[in-house]
C-alpha cells in the first residue's frame, strides 16, 4: 500500500513533469500509438512467460514482466491524453500512475463489487493501490535484480514479477476498454 508521503511526492513530481515537458498533455490520441504500446505490452508478457517456463533467464523474465507493465501503463496514460517523454520515462510513468490513473482504477474495480458496496470501497481502494504500487516495486526490483541473489531467489522473484505483470496488464486493459 503506498503511503501518503509517496502519493504526495508523485503529485508534486507530476506537476513538475508537466511544467518541464517530461509529461505532456496531448491534443488528440493516435490509435496507432495505442496499438503499438498494447502490442509491446503483450509481447513483453508472452516473452517473460516463455523465459520463465523454459528456465532460460529469470533476469530477463523480470525485465520483460516489468516492460509489459510499463507499456500498458503508458498506453493508459496516453489514452487519457498524456504522453510521457523520453527522459526519466520510467519514473514519470510511475508517478503519473499514482496521480492520473489510481482513482480511475478504483472506480473500475468498484464496478466489479457493486453488491458489497461498503466492503468494495475498501477492497477496490486496496487493489488499486496495490496495482499502482506493483509498477513501482517492479521498477525498483528490475534495477536491483542483477546483484548477488541466488538462482532460487531470482526464480521466486521472477515468478512474482510475472504474476504482478499479468494482473497489472489485465486491469489496465480493462481501463483502456472503458476509455473507448
Amino acid at each position: 500500500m503506498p503511503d501518503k508521503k509517496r502519493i504526495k511526492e508523485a503529485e508534486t513530481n507530476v506537476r513538475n513533469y508537466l511544467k518541464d515537458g517530461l509529461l505532456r498533455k496531448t491534443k488528440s490520441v493516435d490509435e496507432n500509438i495505442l496499438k503499438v504500446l498494447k502490442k509491446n505490452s503483450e509481447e513483453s508478457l508472452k516473452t517473460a512467460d516463455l523465459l520463465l517456463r523454459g528456465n532460460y533467464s529469470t533476469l530477463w523474465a523480470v525485465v520483460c514482466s516489468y516492460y509489459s507493465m510499463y507499456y500498458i501503463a503508458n498506453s493508459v496514460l496516453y489514452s487519457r491524453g498524456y504522453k510521457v517523454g523520453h527522459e526519466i520515462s520510467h519514473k514519470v510513468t510511475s508517478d503519473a500512475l499514482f496521480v492520473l490513473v489510481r482513482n480511475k482504477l478504483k472506480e473500475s474495480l468498484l464496478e466489479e463489487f457493486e453488491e458489497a458496496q461498503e466492503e468494495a470501497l475498501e477492497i477496490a481502494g486496496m487493489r488499486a493501490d496495490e496495482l499502482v504500487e506493483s509498477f513501482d516495486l517492479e521498477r525498483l526490483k528490475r534495477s536491483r535484480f542483477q546483484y548477488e541473489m541466488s538462482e532460487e531467489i531470482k526464480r521466486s522473484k521472477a515468478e512474482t514479477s510475472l504474476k504482478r505483470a499479468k494482473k497489472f496488464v489485465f486491469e489496465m486493459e480493462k481501463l483502456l476498454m472503458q476509455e473507448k
Side-chain angles (χ1 to χ4, degrees), residues 1-3 5-7 9-10 13 17 62 65-66 69-70 73 88-98 128-144 161 164-165 168:
M1 198 77 106
D3 60 17
K5 182 180 174 190
R6 175 65 182 103
I7 293 167
E9 172 193 317
N13 288 346
Y17 299 152
V62 168
S65 293
Y66 166 75
M69 297 167 77
Y70 173 77
I88 64 167
S89 65
H90 296 269
K91 179 69 171 144
V92 172
T93 299
S94 179
D95 288 339
L97 281 175
F98 277 104
D129 287 348
E130 287 170 8
L131 282 169
V132 171
E133 189 176 34
S134 72
F135 180 88
D136 212 27
L137 292 171
E138 288 303 312
R139 180 180 64 84
L140 296 171
K141 183 196 296 181
R142 181 186 62 104
S143 66
R144 288 192 318 257
S161 293
R164 279 183 184 156
F168 186 86

Side-chain angles (χ1 to χ4, degrees), residues 24-30 77-78 80-84:
R24 294 183 321 271
K25 188 82 174 122
T26 60
K27 294 179 188 201
S28 63
V29 174
D30 182 341
L77 290 168
Y78 185 70
R80 303 194 80 211
Y82 293 91
K83 174 88 171 88
V84 175

Side-chain angles (χ1 to χ4, degrees), residues 7-21:
I7 293 167
K8 274 291 200 206
E9 172 193 317
E11 289 169 349
T12 300
N13 288 346
V14 166
R15 279 192 299 276
N16 289 331
Y17 299 152
L18 287 165
K19 184 181 76 175
D20 297 340

